[in-house]
Amino acid sequence: MPYGPAPEADNVVKAWINDHGGSFGHFINNEWIKPEGRKTYQTKNPSTGQVLATTIQGEETDVDQAVSASRKAYDSWSKTPGHIRARHLYSIARHIQKHMRLMSVVESMDNGKTFRESRDCDVPIVVRHFYHHAGWAQLMDTEMRGWKSIGVVGAIVPWNFPLMLLTWKLAPALAMGNTVVLKPATYTRLSALLLAEICAEAGLPPGVFNVVTGNGAMGSQLATHPDVDKVAFTGSTEVGQKLRRAVAGTGKKLSLELGGKSPVVVFESADLDSAVEGIVDAIWFNQGQVCSAGSKILVQEPVKDQLIMKLKDRLKHLRVGDSLDKTMDMAAIVDESQKKSIEEYVQHARGEGAEVYQATGCFPESGCFYPPTLITNVQTVSKVVREEIFGPVAVLLPFRTAKEAISLANNTNYGLAGSVWTENIGLALEVSLNIKAGTVWVNCHNLFDAAAGFGGYKESGYGRDGGKEGLFEYTRPSWEERLRPEVGEIDYKTFGSTVQQRPTMGNAPITEIPVDGIKMPGIDRTYKMYYGGAQKRPDAPYSRAIYGADGQVFGHVGEGNRKDVRNAVEVAHNAAPGWGKRAAHNRAQIVYYMAENLEIRRNEFAERICKLTGGKLGEGLEEVDLAIHRLFHWGAYCDKYGGTIQETTLYGATMKIHEPVGVIGMACPDEYPLLGFVSLFAPAVIRGNCVVIVPSEKHPLLALDLYQIFDTSDLPGGVVNILTGDRDHITKYLTEHQDIQSMWYFGSAEGSKFVEYTSAVNVKRTWVSYGYKRNWPDREEGQGEEFLYQSVQCKNIWVPMGDIFAN
């Protein structure tokens, strides 16, 4: 039976646009603002090319006005009781439901996506987020005890899900007591402006949510504004890297949800017909303009040809056309420039000899459309396999074994999402756990809910949108104030350069030991580095003098360099898979054993602390006792922070897993040389990470004395690796290393800026002090929940059900 057209009327959108005279300004302080002398931008319907409205191209003074309004509103909004904030978010959700048709049609006309997707997916998820986060606002005082709001949030969102993605940032930010200035994408501004107007109608106080429109440069102006305390960005990896560099060293919190090349792994045990429908949702949903699009299909060899045949047949029945026609499966690409980019990728694949199949049976003759495309006979190094195309183009590769499938799935710089297709639940879960991505769906794809965080690993960014895990992106520890370090320009090429110390001859004490009445010279000891479970000499034959409180040379340590970093990172990565898979109870026993062995040498370590720092014996004993307490504290968390079951709208189980970050580089502070060292490495290793750690530059001997404790506590080699020398010199190479997943730095403000700036090279996570000296003995500052937050990354695995109550 042929389909007849079923167009959705656009009268309600035209009426709304006409009410504004076809022209929109910024929305600041619950008012429309149209500064004079601004250029304008025409928003067009990608399906028809029709001009919908004009919006203004803002300038820096407009950003200043919006941020100023937001800062003023923050003073009262942050002090508003959680219950009242909850009422406001609840009211926004209700008002969106009242305007649901208007919002759905605006989104489809503005972006080009099908009306069915806007109506059935995007807007319901928007409503769900406001309801869900109204609950978090209500419960903040109990569920987020010890955390507080950040301040003014600068939110920058892309054009593929304009309304949904801005809500993912707006709802948690408001719930936690922040105010927001939003910069929507250039192509898609109307739904953001409409939502701002609806929020005002719902009673949200002036200045709490403001929208400014402009070009890409305006996003940078918003991010770097001195009164913006947090930047929340969704977009391409390249722009995310630029933002990371732009705000480096400023004390701003940053979350990045970036690109992806998500695998769809289809085993021979899968229901192939279901898998085909799932692949359609994975890659051709929203014309493939989805950061989590399942654009890399991996299929087990015995069923490869059968799956390809079924996919091609299914593509013949996909209908491409006007976004407001409810019978359409795919609609328009957002802009001609994006369509051209997609065409170039496909042509490149043809040039490499790939087989390209395109379904053009039901395809419009005019408009910004691109046919659903399947590319086969490609290599793992092909451009279309490695890079994000961001269009309705899927590539397909075969695999033989589950191990090979995991290897192919993880053979990417990205780590946003993926899906696994099999009727074998044990296989599905094991593969899901081994795919390095923030979200993995089992026998489904592209399911989202406010109760489950969404975000990536590796170059797909860090931070989560949704769930309790997403609330930490919009809060800071209650004791912490926003730091505003004043750091000038840094020469990133020469940062951390070091030269050999002056000779210490004549300043080193000579030790003598009486043996049978004879004075014998003590055996000289130069402390070695420690990595791979063994003492190692430094790559270069250089040593560094360590002075005691009396100004005399107390000992010598190795001077680490980039080759030492290379060696230590290599052994850490070798140890990481086994350590991460160890039973949590086993990790706990090892950490408790460390505490036991440290207490045996309590007086020795206390005396060493006193001789190095000049403190009293009681102070040294207190630091050792606190270090033992920290080991017990983190040992207790080994098997108590593994994750939870998320209460999503899925009929099934959504499992949040707290996975290790990977290999973490650490640079310790000079103060509290034993306690600071323990406070940093312990929370990381109990959660399954391996660390390469630079101890106190002034007093590293206490950390080096610990490697005997590690050896006698059954700690596997490569889990904790200690490099000594100039802190900033070693930090430079740790931060630049592509296989370090996170860098913790507790040193100078200049070093903090360097770490954040340089981390953009592979979008590694960072945790820096900005030159602030923590009170390490304090429980909140020295062992708060933020240590766990920094030690894990959240993965959500979605497992649907339906065998019994499917109907």
Side-chain angles (χ1 to χ4, degrees), residues 304-572:
K304 184 193 77 168
D305 293 340
Q306 186 180 2
L307 183 73
I308 291 174
M309 180 187 68
K310 286 177 176 289
L311 275 173
K312 289 180 177 179
D313 184 65
R314 183 67 178 87
L315 290 184
K316 294 175 184 176
H317 297 87
L318 287 182
R319 306 189 75 232
V320 183
D322 183 20
S323 60
L324 292 185
D325 187 339
K326 293 188 284 290
T327 67
M328 292 300 157
D329 300 297
M330 283 176 49
I333 304 299
V334 72
D335 186 77
E336 286 291 341
S337 62
Q338 181 63 21
K339 179 183 174 182
K340 182 180 178 183
S341 173
I342 297 167
E343 289 172 338
E344 288 173 353
Y345 273 107
V346 175
Q347 281 301 115
H348 190 276
R350 284 195 175 102
E352 290 182 330
E355 296 178 11
V356 177
Y357 177 83
Q358 293 182 316
T360 57
C362 177
F363 194 74
E365 295 182 358
S366 61
C368 193
F369 298 95
Y370 196 82
T373 303
L374 177 66
I375 303 178
T376 55
N377 192 31
V378 290
Q379 305 300 316
T380 55
V381 295
S382 297
K383 186 176 181 180
V384 290
V385 175
R386 293 182 291 107
E387 298 183 14
E388 183 180 37
I389 300 173
F390 223 64
V393 180
V395 298
L396 187 146
L397 299 94
F399 69 87
R400 288 162 291 185
T401 66
K403 282 187 177 180
E404 185 183 6
I406 292 167
S407 178
L408 289 170
N410 290 331
N411 184 27
T412 173
N413 291 338
Y414 299 110
L416 190 57
S419 59
V420 180
W421 296 81
T422 173
E423 296 298 291
N424 183 337
I425 188 63
L427 175 64
L429 290 176
E430 188 171 14
V431 173
S432 297
L433 285 170
N434 281 280
I435 291 177
K436 299 303 178 185
T439 299
V440 181
W441 296 279
V442 174
N443 295 332
C444 54
H445 201 107
N446 280 337
L447 298 183
F448 308 101
D449 187 74
F454 183 81
Y457 292 11
K458 299 187 284 187
E459 291 186 21
S460 289
Y462 42 79
R464 295 294 181 264
D465 291 321
K468 185 176 182 179
E469 56 266 38
L471 302 181
F472 294 105
E473 304 305 322
Y474 298 94
T475 53
R476 69 170 77 250
S478 297
W479 61 267
E480 185 180 276
E481 296 301 322
R482 160 75 193 278
L483 297 174
R484 300 175 183 271
E486 296 182 5
V487 183
E489 292 298 317
I490 292 178
D491 188 335
Y492 294 103
K493 291 185 178 179
T494 62
F495 176 85
S497 299
T498 184
V499 294
Q500 178 69 10
Q501 289 182 331
R502 56 157 296 166
T504 58
M505 291 176 291
N507 193 18
I510 298 174
T511 59
E512 293 181 333
I513 300 174
V515 179
D516 295 332
I518 302 173
K519 289 185 178 180
M520 301 184 66
I523 299 175
D524 182 73
R525 180 186 183 188
T526 297
Y527 286 80
K528 299 179 179 64
M529 299 181 188
Y530 179 79
Y531 56 85
Q535 300 179 47
K536 302 285 187 177
R537 288 185 172 86
D539 170 73
Y542 303 138
S543 61
R544 165 179 289 261
I546 302 301
Y547 294 86
D550 58 3
Q552 296 293 307
V553 174
F554 195 85
H556 289 80
V557 298
E559 191 76 71
N561 64 19
R562 70 162 71 204
K563 289 186 178 178
D564 298 307
V565 170
R566 177 199 64 191
N567 295 339
V569 172
E570 183 178 340
V571 297

Side-chain angles (χ1 to χ4, degrees), residues 593-629:
Y593 203 1
M594 290 180 196
E596 178 184 333
N597 287 322
L598 179 57
E599 187 165 78
I600 292 172
R601 298 172 60 185
R602 176 173 178 262
N603 290 334
E604 175 193 341
F605 272 84
E607 290 171 2
R608 180 67 57 89
I609 291 171
C610 296
K611 289 178 181 179
L612 287 169
T613 65
K616 297 178 181 178
L617 181 59
E619 295 171 340
L621 289 169
E622 183 182 8
E623 183 171 347
V624 176
D625 291 340
L626 281 170
I628 294 169
H629 181 278

